[in-house]
Amino acid sequence: MTNYKARKSNLKDLLSKNGMDLDGLEKNTNIPRSQLDDYISKKVMNLNTAMTISKELNCQIEDLYVWASEEE
C-alpha cells in the first residue's frame, strides 16, 4: 500500500480562487490568523480544522495540499 504525505499547502491558492483572504477565513472559521499563516507555510492541520476550512472554501480536504507518495 502506498502512503502519502502532504508536501505543500494549497491554502493560499484556494483562498484566491474563492475571492477570500486570510482575514475573511479567520472571521468565517474562528481559526486564528497566526494558525492560518502556519498552515500556509506547510504546517499540516488536524482533520477537524481541515474539514472546517474545506467546507468554508467549498473544496475537498485533499485539495488543501499537494500530495506525494512517500516513495517520491
Side-chain angles (χ1 to χ4, degrees), residues 9 11-12 15 22 35-43:
S9 171
L11 186 53
K12 190 173 183 178
L15 285 168
L22 284 174
Q35 193 172 347
L36 294 171
D37 284 332
D38 286 345
Y39 297 144
I40 286 178
S41 63
K42 288 193 176 182
K43 182 177 178 186

Side-chain angles (χ1 to χ4, degrees), residues 14-67:
L14 290 168
L15 285 168
S16 178
K17 180 180 173 182
N18 284 278
M20 188 181 295
D21 60 15
L22 284 174
D23 293 328
L25 187 60
E26 176 185 30
K27 180 181 177 187
N28 294 343
T29 62
N30 294 318
I31 299 169
R33 171 70 187 256
S34 60
Q35 193 172 347
L36 294 171
D37 284 332
D38 286 345
Y39 297 144
I40 286 178
S41 63
K42 288 193 176 182
K43 182 177 178 186
V44 178
M45 60 192 85
N46 67 41
L47 187 57
N48 295 333
T49 301
M51 179 61 93
T52 299
I53 291 174
S54 70
K55 294 298 181 186
E56 182 62 31
L57 297 179
N58 195 32
C59 68
Q60 300 294 313
I61 290 174
E62 296 91 353
D63 297 335
L64 295 173
Y65 293 98
V66 173
W67 296 90

